[in-house]
Amino acid sequence: MAAIDTAITENPNQDQTPAADPNTLGGRLALGLQSFREMPVGRQIALLGTLAGGLVAVVAILFWALKPTYVPLFSQLEGAEAAEVMEALTQLGVPYRVDNSSGRIEIPQQRVAETRLQLAGQGLPKSADIGFELLQQESGFGTSRLIEGARFQRALEGELGRSIAALEPVDKARVHIARAERSVFVRERVPPSASVVVHLKGSRGLTDTQVGAIVHLVSSSVPELTPDRVTVVDQSGRLLTSDGEDKSSRLSLDHLEYTHRVESRYVDRVQSLLVPIVGRDRVRVQVSADLDFSRVERTQESYDPDKTAIRSEQLNEEERIGADPLAGGIPGALTNQPPAGGVVGQQQAAQGNATVPSSRSQQTTRNYEVDRTISHIQETPGGVRRLTAAVVVDYVDQVNEAGEPIRVPRSDAEMETLRDLVREAIGFNEARGDSLQVRSASFVPESDEDEEPIWTQPWFLELVKIVGGLLLALIVMLTVVKPALNQILPKPPEPEKPQEDEETRALTDGIEGEGEGEEGEEIVSLTHEPSGLAALMGPKGPDRQQLDLEAVREMVREDPKRVVQVMKQWLAEDGSG
């Protein structure tokens, strides 16, 4: 065994350096670094690139998954207002970013409501429309009347814009008022006009009633401004106000809307009456109303000949007794002479014996008044001409003799009761031709659908983003990073004793043998010839041979592959020698 002494002498530090324990993390790292150094340079570069790329991919995926979702803080801001908002966000410590395409300020979604409240406390963003507070600003000493009028008009436009923006569908609004300058040299004055630009929220729209309200709001706020000189336009450039030529079409739309409201009112009446009886989803009601929108004005005057009354009565009675002494004779001076003188008693006696003439007349005038009625009737449009109603009631759920649920139609008595209730609810009038149908039918069950699907919720999208990012990072770790680490770090030894190959088993058996023949001589020679191992172990005693055998056995158990390489080297040297 002279060759083994030589092999051990060539590696004198092998026994001095303790072998790395593969069961510990430090030992595995040491063995991995040693294995990495033994690799070719090309393989080292490829392995390092794969490991670095996998780690970078994992970090990027985790950063994307855990990064908060940014949403716009405000939809539209002017440049100066956006700068003030950005400065306020920096002071509040709120992370933000500016969209390069739209220029909008975006912040994390979970902090939008909180940040808006904090900015509102600081008065941000400032309203684009400046109201009457503009008049409170100090003006220069030499401000002219023209500038003061322009400031007042700008303040009025701002106040009108704020009032219009208070409507539910309107996000913001701008008002422009045009008024001609007054002059004593102008005979015909141009009336003022106004235009309104409204920015609506999302896909919402303004009804004709709301547009009319905006028009009258503006016209009532500006002196001498009539509603027909107010124009309303939305953000897409659509003209919301109609001119005089479209009055007929607008009137038709108003009639249709009014008819729909009347029908809805009748439907609500019937449903509020039947739902507590048959159930919320077990009744369907439809009402069709025929309305009369004609305007009728008439005046009528009627007389009743049977009813008369004395309005006024005048009675004139006249009676004369005797002739008029002044009447008679020939007209002239002789007739007007006084009578001749005589005796008083003789004249009275003469008059008593004569016949006294007399006359009497009576005249009566009565004015009668005949009963007369004058009626001025103006019929309001929108009266009901005819009603048509249809009511469908669901079947009743019952259980048959076998215990199975079945659906049966309602009884005739119950249907008649429901029919009477509906007739009274809609004010059924057979004289005007109203129609009512109440039927019982089996309803098809509707599938339960959420008003807002869960996948449309912001929190669900954020959760899917995080979970997807984590799964993608895990896949990269398992398919890229782990195989690269396995190439560097050796596998930990199995707890069971590994099976030794034939060469190791033969070497161990040869060392453990007691030495007959050639192998025995080699073992004996190991104990007698000087070697590096013997020098390290010190002087030999009587049991030194047994100690050498134990040391060789320990070497075989710790690193059998290296011992096999030494044996192969011996065999190669013996073959060459």
Side-chain angles (χ1 to χ4, degrees), residues 76 129 160-167 169-176 195-202 204-207 210-211 214-215 217-218 231-241:
Q76 293 180 355
D129 293 328
L160 289 175
R162 290 178 179 177
S163 301
I164 297 173
L167 298 178
V170 180
D171 185 17
K172 64 179 182 178
R174 294 194 64 182
V175 181
H176 304 279
S195 59
V196 182
V197 180
V198 292
H199 292 261
L200 304 179
K201 298 178 181 178
R204 306 184 66 175
L206 292 174
T207 62
Q210 292 173 332
V211 173
I214 294 175
V215 170
L217 173 66
V218 176
T231 304
V232 182
V233 183
D234 63 359
Q235 72 272 20
S236 59
R238 292 185 302 131
L239 182 63
L240 302 181
T241 53

Side-chain angles (χ1 to χ4, degrees), residues 396 398 408-419 440:
V396 181
Q398 294 183 358
V408 297
R410 299 180 183 270
S411 61
D412 295 340
E414 185 178 1
M415 295 299 298
E416 186 63 27
T417 302
L418 297 178
R419 188 177 293 104
S440 179

Side-chain angles (χ1 to χ4, degrees), residues 493-501 504-505 556-557 560:
E494 299 179 358
E496 299 179 357
K497 182 177 180 181
Q499 297 293 334
E500 299 179 352
D501 53 6
T504 306
R505 190 181 300 108
V556 172
R557 278 193 294 269

Side-chain angles (χ1 to χ4, degrees), residues 465-484:
K465 176 182 175 182
I466 294 175
V467 173
L470 293 177
L471 291 177
L472 189 59
L474 182 62
I475 292 174
V476 174
M477 288 285 294
L478 295 178
T479 58
V480 178
V481 178
K482 184 178 179 181

Side-chain angles (χ1 to χ4, degrees), residues 173-223:
R174 294 194 64 182
V175 181
H176 304 279
I177 301 175
R179 286 190 289 191
E181 184 179 357
R182 294 185 177 182
S183 175
V184 295
F185 302 102
V186 178
R187 179 176 299 178
E188 296 181 359
R189 294 181 180 178
V190 179
S193 61
S195 59
V196 182
V197 180
V198 292
H199 292 261
L200 304 179
K201 298 178 181 178
S203 59
R204 306 184 66 175
L206 292 174
T207 62
D208 294 339
T209 304
Q210 292 173 332
V211 173
I214 294 175
V215 170
H216 286 81
L217 173 66
V218 176
S219 63
S220 301
S221 303
V222 180

